[in-house]
Amino acid sequence: MSDIQEETYENKRTYRMVWLGAISLALVVALGVWGTISFVGKQHDRDIQNWEIRLGIVADSRVAAVEGWLAEQKSAINSLSENASLQVYLTQLVLDTEENGLKVTEVPEAGYLINLLNNHAVISGFWEPEEPQINANVARPGRAGIALTDRTGTLLVSSGNMPPMNPSIRAAIAEADQGRAAVIDLYEGLDGEPTMGFVYPIFAVQSAGDPNKVIGFVVGLRTVRKSLFPLLLQPGEVQKTAETILVRERGALTEYISPLADGTPALKRRVSSDDKLAAAFAARNPGLFAIKSNYLGDEVLVTGRAISGAPWFLVRSVTTIEALSETRERRNAMLGVFLLLILGITGTVVAVWRHGTSLRAAELAEKYKKVAEELRERTEFLKVVTDQQPTAIAVFDQGDRYAFANKLAADNVELLQDEILGRKLSSVMNPESSKKLLDMLHFARQDNAVQSAVMSLPDPQHGDRIVKSDIIPLRTEQNDVQNMLAVFQDITEVVTERERRENVLRSLVSALVAFVDKRDPYSAHQSVWVAEVAVAIAEELNASERVIRTVDISGNLMNLGKILVPSKILTKTERLTEDELRVIRESLVSSADLLENVKFDLPIAETLRQLQEHWDGTGHPRGLKETAINEAARIVAVANAFVGMVSPRAYRDAFDFNKAVSILLEEADKKYDRKPISALINFLENGGGREKWQHFSNTLPDPEAEEQPGD
């Protein structure tokens, strides 16, 4: 073969290789474009599925909140229907009014039932303050209340402000006559307020469940605008067009029973039950997900849930424009980027085909060398910084192994810093401590949030140590939580000192109370009893721990100022003069003055200073009104009045509990806050208070008795 023929052969071979390479490259480009479009389409479908999950999670959480609210309301009314005392008194009331011809006001049991309904209405939320009357002769009907009827539905007694009977209420009573509870569905009450209610049958004693033994009904009505509708709002909502509403079906219509985002009030809009509309679809297909049109004609992603306990459906939606805007932008960006990447990769492959591999390998080697050196320097710097800290610091990888530990963290487990690296947490700590920390690591990764806990760790040399542990997620550049930063702070001394201060404070209070009791034998134990009653009221109101501690200490120390009162006044057995009463009253302010500079970390002095303030603003020394009086002072004032009335005096016997409660109710919303009074009554009737405090009536009199209401 000649040189020319050989060169021609090599050229033809080269051309074939070039064409083959070009065809392969074109095929790769085509496959890349197709793969990009397919990927983007699948990403869109995944985003739709993600929205289905997100809407479902929110819908489930709001359904749980609404169903929990319904369960609370039903439980409040059901507890009355099952109250044995109520069953007995209602039976007697029915007999006296129907068979004996007496008026309700002539039956003694009616007063007890009215007080019971008033107290239960205040505590359970079936109560609203009276609205100002339109004129002097026209009484304004109420919005909420609880009532008792006989089996025919005739109203016997009710709490204050009970709305009038209407067809919806009577229909629910007829349904409850079958021996089961009934719901009074939402309707427009006074001033268009959305109102609903519950009816429970009341059976004769020891015959529950027998429809033939129904003696009457308990009817509870309340407005829902402030209590139910706020539950539809999702905490942390970020979507502007996201909306959660309640609907119900009314024949061929779907009715919106909660307020709408466009400002439409509850119960004011109805649409046809066309499945093209989001609300109708969600009501007919609870649990399913679809793309429909809302009441404004906007296209929305929607899902629905049925509400257990009421004929309602919850609808959760968000407009597709907002929900999928990021998806569309991301799809376009990804398509452009992928196409540019494919073209760029093609050009790069052609340009650096022969030289790229070796050059890239060399560059990567150099880069990895620099990264490794930087990592080593950073690690050494981190050790220097963290080893100087008074807290133990460690980093755990995704396998719960030590990736880093400062000197104190290694010393705590009796290992060197280099020895602890790579070891699992469970192999270093005792089983109990490691389990607690592993649980914290798990929840920190799962919730992507800081986890904190205080735990006791065994220390063979110094006894158990109390350690505050904080687990902090460490994000990578890919926003993926892998490693966890753990900070362990020894707070043993802090906790010990706090407990010591608490014990010293308790000892001081006990000593001061004992001192006052010894000087004033006529009020011995009274401050202790006031504190006991005040704590019971605060717990019944579910008050905070700070308020409970405040009423306890304030009650015990309220008589401290009597050390400045002359002994002849404290031990006087006759009625006190006005001047002597003034000295006794001013002893409360003296108590506050004596304790003003004592650091309790609680508002003890201020609470004592407000004990003589009245709810309506007629008290002293500052004429504070309503919630301007702190909660602890309002509670202690009621407890002090109650103890004063049920304790005997030198000039009279102790009042029985019923009379004391009646006097307190007369002073409710005037001298005292109604809520502590209601809580006190509830504890007396249902918490064993009568038996627990019966001994109050068997003690020596207190000269301050003239101050108490009803004396």
Side-chain angles (χ1 to χ4, degrees):
M1 183 180 293
S2 66
D3 292 339
I4 295 176
Q5 289 176 326
E6 186 175 356
E7 183 177 358
T8 302
Y9 176 78
E10 289 297 326
N11 287 337
K12 289 182 179 179
R13 183 181 178 185
T14 301
Y15 290 150
R16 285 196 300 268
M17 293 295 295
V18 169
W19 277 108
L20 182 61
I23 293 172
S24 299
L25 189 58
L27 182 61
V28 169
V29 171
L31 290 174
V33 172
W34 176 83
T36 299
I37 295 174
S38 177
F39 175 80
V40 169
K42 292 180 179 179
Q43 183 65 36
H44 178 269
D45 293 339
R46 282 195 295 270
D47 287 340
I48 292 290
Q49 292 175 356
N50 289 338
W51 269 106
E52 180 178 359
I53 294 171
R54 290 171 63 179
L55 291 178
I57 291 174
V58 174
D60 289 339
S61 69
R62 296 306 90 208
V63 165
V66 171
E67 290 180 349
W69 182 88
L70 286 170
E72 290 178 3
Q73 313 315 307
K74 292 179 179 179
S75 176
I77 302 304
N78 187 37
S79 65
L80 281 176
S81 69
E82 295 177 350
N83 186 307
S85 298
L86 183 144
Q87 292 173 335
V88 173
Y89 287 174
L90 181 60
T91 300
Q92 187 62 45
L93 181 60
V94 170
L95 289 174
D96 286 342
T97 56
E98 292 184 0
E99 298 183 10
N100 299 331
L102 296 179
K103 296 181 179 179
V104 172
T105 55
E106 297 175 345
V107 181
E109 289 78 0
Y112 168 84
L113 292 174
I114 291 173
N115 284 337
L116 178 62
L117 295 181
N118 280 327
N119 294 332
H120 199 75
V122 171
I123 293 175
S124 61
F126 287 78
W127 174 277
E128 286 193 10
E130 291 186 57
E131 293 287 338
Q133 294 184 353
I134 298 174
N135 57 55
N137 298 318
V138 179
R140 186 178 180 86
R143 289 191 175 95
I146 302 176
L148 298 177
T149 74
D150 61 17
R151 187 164 187 175
T152 66
T154 301
L155 179 66
L156 297 177
V157 292
S158 68
S159 63
N161 297 335
M162 177 66 185
M165 304 292 280
N166 59 44
S168 296
I169 299 174
R170 298 194 179 281
I173 290 176
E175 181 182 349
D177 195 37
Q178 303 301 316
R180 59 178 182 272
V183 175
I184 303 170
D185 204 353
L186 277 172
Y187 66 94
E188 291 187 30
L190 183 65
D191 295 336
E193 277 287 325
T195 305
M196 73 175 302
F198 308 89
V199 179
Y200 275 77
I202 302 174
F203 299 94
V205 178
Q206 298 182 345
S207 61
D210 186 353
N212 296 321
K213 299 296 184 179
V214 174
I215 60 173
F217 305 92
V218 55
V219 180
L221 296 175
R222 66 168 301 158
T223 59
V224 301
R225 178 169 54 86
K226 296 181 180 179
S227 58
L228 173 60
F229 293 158
L231 299 178
L232 301 177
L233 300 177
Q234 175 65 14
E237 182 72 84
V238 295
Q239 278 75 38
K240 295 181 180 179
T241 61
E243 187 175 16
T244 305
I245 57 178
L246 292 174
V247 301
R248 64 187 175 194
E249 293 188 307
R250 283 288 185 267
L253 298 177
T254 300
E255 182 179 21
Y256 296 83
I257 60 176
S258 62
L260 302 179
D262 67 347
T264 302
L267 303 170
K268 293 297 185 181
R269 176 172 290 181
R270 296 179 179 87
V271 297
S272 66
S273 296
D274 186 347
D275 276 354
K276 294 180 181 179
L277 298 177
F281 168 83
R284 291 187 176 183
N285 305 277
L288 298 186
F289 171 85
I291 300 177
K292 300 290 182 180
S293 296
N294 66 6
Y295 54 88
L296 297 175
D298 297 328
E299 186 179 75
V300 295
L301 304 176
V302 63
T303 188
R305 299 290 188 272
I307 302 295
S308 176
W312 306 337
F313 299 90
L314 181 138
V315 182
R316 174 68 178 180
S317 65
V318 63
T319 62
T320 56
I321 292 178
E322 180 179 19
L324 301 179
S325 61
E326 293 182 3
T327 302
R328 295 190 179 99
E329 293 174 1
R330 186 167 62 249
R331 178 189 61 190
N332 296 334
M334 288 177 63
L335 184 58
V337 169
F338 279 150
L339 291 175
L340 290 175
L341 284 175
I342 291 172
L343 295 175
I345 291 172
T346 302
T348 302
V349 169
V350 173
V352 300
W353 184 14
R354 293 184 179 182
H355 306 286
T357 303
S358 59
L359 293 176
R360 184 61 177 166
E363 291 175 358
L364 288 175
E366 184 65 24
K367 181 179 179 180
Y368 288 149
K369 182 179 178 180
K370 291 181 179 179
V371 170
E373 183 64 24
E374 291 176 358
L375 181 60
R376 186 188 64 79
E377 292 176 355
R378 290 178 182 178
T379 302
E380 291 300 324
F381 176 76
L382 186 61
K383 282 186 178 180
V384 171
V385 172
T386 58
D387 286 350
Q388 307 304 315
Q389 300 300 314
T391 55
I393 302 173
V395 175
F396 296 97
D397 63 17
Q398 58 184 347
D400 298 328
R401 292 181 292 266
Y402 280 90
F404 173 82
N406 71 343
K407 187 175 185 305
L408 183 57
D411 290 344
N412 285 343
V413 293
E414 301 179 348
L415 290 173
L416 298 176
Q417 285 179 274
D418 294 336
E419 294 177 343
I420 199 173
L421 297 181
R423 294 200 180 193
K424 279 188 168 291
L425 175 63
S426 57
S427 67
V428 173
M429 291 191 175
N430 65 73
E432 182 179 356
S433 301
S434 65
K435 183 180 184 307
K436 293 179 180 178
L437 289 176
L438 287 172
D439 288 342
M440 292 177 66
L441 290 170
H442 169 73
F443 288 118
R445 288 194 182 95
Q446 177 177 290
D447 301 337
N448 193 19
V450 176
Q451 299 289 320
S452 300
V454 176
M455 61 182 66
S456 178
L457 297 180
D459 187 339
Q461 297 181 353
H462 306 93
D464 289 350
R465 293 180 296 116
I466 301 175
V467 176
K468 181 179 184 294
S469 304
D470 296 299
I471 305 297
I472 306 167
L474 297 177
R475 291 181 176 273
T476 63
E477 292 182 357
Q478 290 74 30
N479 203 30
D480 184 21
V481 177
Q482 298 291 338
N483 297 336
M484 294 287 156
L485 174 65
V487 180
F488 306 101
Q489 183 179 5
D490 191 335
I491 58 172
T492 305
E493 294 183 0
V494 175
V495 173
T496 302
E497 176 61 19
R498 185 176 64 187
E499 292 177 349
R500 187 190 67 79
R501 290 177 58 192
E502 187 73 20
N503 291 334
V504 169
L505 177 61
R506 284 291 174 187
S507 299
L508 173 62
V509 171
S510 298
L512 291 174
V513 170
F515 175 77
V516 173
D517 287 348
K518 183 177 293 186
R519 189 169 183 272
D520 182 8
Y522 290 97
S523 63
H525 307 301
Q526 175 157 348
S527 56
V528 175
W529 291 347
V530 170
E532 180 181 344
V533 173
V535 168
I537 294 174
E539 291 176 344
E540 195 71 19
L541 290 170
N542 292 320
S544 66
E545 180 65 25
R546 178 178 177 84
V547 171
I548 293 174
R549 292 177 59 212
T550 300
V551 301
D552 184 12
I553 297 175
S554 300
N556 276 292
L557 294 179
M558 62 180 293
N559 288 331
L560 180 62
K562 288 184 179 180
I563 62 176
L564 303 176
V565 178
S567 298
K568 64 180 181 179
I569 296 179
L570 295 176
T571 57
K572 184 177 180 179
T573 58
E574 295 82 14
R575 279 187 175 272
L576 301 178
T577 66
E578 282 299 322
D579 290 339
E580 291 169 337
L581 278 174
R582 180 179 53 78
V583 172
I584 292 295
R585 284 194 294 265
E586 290 178 353
S587 68
L588 279 176
V589 179
S590 299
S591 299
D593 292 339
L594 290 171
L595 299 171
E596 187 70 46
N597 297 320
V598 179
K599 295 183 178 180
F600 285 99
D601 295 330
L602 295 168
I604 303 300
E606 184 61 21
T607 297
L608 295 176
R609 202 177 301 280
Q610 296 181 16
L611 286 182
Q612 297 182 82
E613 302 286 358
H614 293 169
W615 180 258
D616 59 3
T618 60
H620 61 279
R622 288 181 286 173
L624 299 180
K625 183 179 181 181
E626 297 182 358
T627 54
I629 310 169
N630 74 43
E631 184 178 7
R634 303 198 304 268
I635 292 172
V636 175
V638 172
N640 184 38
F642 174 76
V643 171
M645 287 188 285
V646 300
S647 301
R649 295 292 179 260
Y651 51 86
R652 66 152 173 81
D653 294 331
F655 291 175
D656 62 44
F657 286 3
N658 289 338
K659 182 175 181 180
V661 166
S662 177
I663 294 173
L664 287 174
L665 286 173
E666 290 177 1
E667 296 290 345
D669 297 332
K670 299 174 184 176
K671 193 170 185 179
Y672 306 110
D673 181 4
R674 180 180 293 274
K675 288 186 177 179
I677 297 174
S678 298
L680 172 63
I681 296 172
N682 192 56
F683 186 76
L684 289 172
E685 300 298 333
N686 303 309
R690 290 180 179 273
E691 296 76 14
K692 183 177 181 180
W693 297 333
Q694 193 61 45
H695 64 282
F696 287 4
S697 61
N698 301 321
T699 58
L700 291 172
D702 182 354
E704 192 182 346
E706 301 263 350
E707 175 77 0
Q708 305 304 334
D711 285 357

